Amino acid sequence: MEAGVGGHAPRCRRRGLPSQANQNRKLSAVMADAVLFEFLHMEMVAELWARGPDPGPGGQKTSLSVLESVGFRVGQALGERLPRETLAFREELDALKFLCKDLWVALFQKQIDGLRTNHQGTYVLQDNSFPLLTRMASGLQYLEEAPKFLAFTCGLLRGALITLGLKSLVTASVAALPTCKFQVVIQKS
Amino acid sequence: MEAGVGGHAPRCRRRGLPSQANQNRKLSAVMADAVLFEFLHMEMVAELWARGPDPGPGGQKTSLSVLESVGFRVGQALGERLPRETLAFREELDALKFLCKDLWVALFQKQIDGLRTNHQGTYVLQDNSFPLLTRMASGLQYLEEAPKFLAFTCGLLRGALITLGLKSLVTASVAALPTCKFQVVIQKS
């Protein structure tokens, strides 16, 4: 493959970057990982929507289910990287708090805004400015577009909870963009 | 939706986290954004492969093309966030160096290992341990699996280059896992 690519070989130096590159180093902040995750998520949603076998409600349901299952596997993969001692939460509520704080910070560089519970296995996690919704135009007419930007995160929460020993159902709802609520119902077995 | 979820409302506090949560804060490092990007990429590849319309070479080509186009749009989206002054590289080679350093750091927290050019518009970027390949089992029998883990990044490079004013063809090759080379051929117009 290297045929025709010989000649002078300007290797990237790890130290002593030229001034132009030094100036550009601050751009890493612009292209932060969070942005990368958001863009990749957005394009994955767009691609799955474009490839959906059926543009009707049945096809949309399939695409939502695919996004949810991709999220579930990512949540599981993240959860499986946690040290074992983390997995031993004394209380269910501690596991949910962990998602609201640590998981949300890892995903979105901020904690979630509110956690409510009925102390009977139902939890509502509220994000007042959910990052995967903030790039959408706001307005009532866009509300119906919201579910496809929430399905992945529903699955991710469910996947992370499974690795913490909790089987759950996770749904999301939006009343006014970009605020959204994730409802987690723990399944007692 | 909040029916039945009233009662006591333990809000996530932004300060004064309890000791369990403090202990868990270091877990953000475990679930770093880089890992998130890698997991999301891996699951997207798996999903597209599972949904490919045809398991034969034709279907695989379609899936590779889809991954490349998702990468292209993510690369464009990243590039469009760059300050305008960055886009004015004096030389083509400076734009390529920018990808090898800043873009690679933003994506993979490290610079690329080598950049070679024939000074006629062809560049070879070599990564000796490409992060999207390192989770694959190594061994000759897995080499044929490699292209699906490279297509997204080929597209991403092409997308970023377009925003820097350079039209290109980007291909990738692997001789021994997890080393890979991206060949960029700038299209003069």
Side-chain angles (χ1 to χ4, degrees):
Chain A
M1 179 191 162
E2 284 207 356
V5 191
H8 182 58
R11 292 200 161 256
C12 290
R13 280 164 289 170
R14 288 179 183 274
R15 293 167 193 279
L17 302 169
S19 61
Q20 167 107 41
N22 266 331
Q23 185 191 337
N24 290 337
R25 281 190 68 81
K26 59 190 170 195
L27 299 178
S28 296
V30 175
M31 302 192 298
D33 304 320
V35 170
L36 183 66
F37 163 62
E38 285 176 33
F39 286 158
L40 181 51
H41 174 271
M42 191 184 299
E43 294 303 335
M44 184 180 65
V45 170
E47 190 55 49
L48 282 171
W49 237 248
R51 284 163 57 92
D54 174 4
Q60 288 187 10
K61 204 169 166 185
T62 305
S63 296
L64 286 179
S65 156
V66 167
L67 282 169
E68 206 271 350
S69 70
V70 170
F72 177 76
R73 294 196 302 273
V74 171
Q76 266 191 313
L78 288 173
E80 282 163 6
R81 283 177 66 100
L82 298 177
R84 300 306 299 172
E85 59 268 27
T86 310
L87 307 185
F89 286 107
R90 265 169 304 175
E91 290 186 35
E92 196 176 277
L93 181 58
D94 290 327
L96 269 292
K97 284 182 180 173
F98 171 75
L99 300 187
C100 292
K101 292 167 187 155
D102 296 80
L103 181 68
W104 230 248
V105 167
L107 293 171
F108 305 119
Q109 292 69 55
K110 64 165 194 171
Q111 292 185 18
I112 213 165
D113 297 297
L115 169 63
R116 298 174 68 86
T117 179
N118 66 352
H119 291 287
Q120 291 174 22
T122 298
Y123 299 84
V124 175
L125 290 63
Q126 178 167 330
D127 192 321
N128 296 334
S129 181
F130 184 57
L132 300 182
L133 287 176
T134 48
R135 289 184 202 281
M136 279 180 67
S138 59
L140 276 177
Q141 71 271 36
Y142 298 106
L143 263 185
E144 64 183 39
E145 296 282 312
K148 64 184 177 188
F149 296 103
L150 302 173
F152 172 84
T153 308
C154 286
L156 194 141
L157 286 168
R158 190 168 68 85
L161 280 166
I162 274 284
T163 64
L164 298 173
L166 296 169
K167 198 174 166 192
S168 63
L169 283 178
V170 182
T171 52
S173 65
V174 175
L177 291 165
T179 295
C180 74
K181 291 177 180 173
F182 295 93
Q183 176 167 295
V184 176
V185 180
I186 303 295
Q187 309 289 290
K188 308 290 182 191
S189 57
Chain B
M1 181 189 160
E2 284 207 354
V5 192
H8 182 58
R11 293 199 160 258
C12 290
R13 280 164 288 170
R14 289 181 179 274
R15 292 168 194 279
L17 300 171
S19 60
Q20 167 106 41
N22 266 330
Q23 185 190 337
N24 291 336
R25 282 191 66 82
K26 60 190 170 197
L27 299 178
S28 296
V30 175
M31 303 190 299
D33 304 320
V35 170
L36 183 66
F37 162 62
E38 284 175 32
F39 286 158
L40 182 51
H41 174 271
M42 191 185 300
E43 293 302 336
M44 184 179 66
V45 170
E47 189 56 48
L48 281 171
W49 238 249
R51 285 162 58 92
D54 175 4
Q60 288 187 8
K61 202 168 168 186
T62 305
S63 296
L64 286 179
S65 155
V66 167
L67 282 169
E68 205 273 349
S69 71
V70 169
F72 177 76
R73 294 197 302 274
V74 171
Q76 265 191 315
L78 287 174
E80 281 163 6
R81 284 176 65 100
L82 298 176
R84 300 305 299 173
E85 59 268 27
T86 309
L87 308 184
F89 286 107
R90 264 169 304 176
E91 292 186 33
E92 197 177 276
L93 181 58
D94 290 326
L96 269 292
K97 284 182 179 174
F98 172 75
L99 300 186
C100 292
K101 292 169 187 155
D102 296 80
L103 182 69
W104 230 248
V105 167
L107 292 171
F108 305 118
Q109 292 71 54
K110 64 166 194 171
Q111 293 185 17
I112 213 165
D113 297 296
L115 169 64
R116 298 174 67 87
T117 179
N118 66 352
H119 292 285
Q120 290 173 24
T122 297
Y123 300 84
V124 175
L125 290 63
Q126 177 166 331
D127 192 320
N128 295 334
S129 182
F130 185 56
L132 301 182
L133 287 176
T134 48
R135 290 183 202 283
M136 279 181 66
S138 59
L140 276 177
Q141 71 271 36
Y142 299 105
L143 264 185
E144 65 182 37
E145 295 283 311
K148 63 184 177 190
F149 296 102
L150 301 172
F152 172 85
T153 308
C154 286
L156 194 143
L157 286 168
R158 190 168 66 86
L161 280 166
I162 273 284
T163 64
L164 298 173
L166 296 169
K167 198 173 166 192
S168 62
L169 284 178
V170 183
T171 52
S173 64
V174 176
L177 291 165
T179 295
C180 74
K181 291 177 181 174
F182 295 94
Q183 175 167 294
V184 176
V185 181
I186 303 296
Q187 309 288 292
K188 309 290 182 190
S189 56

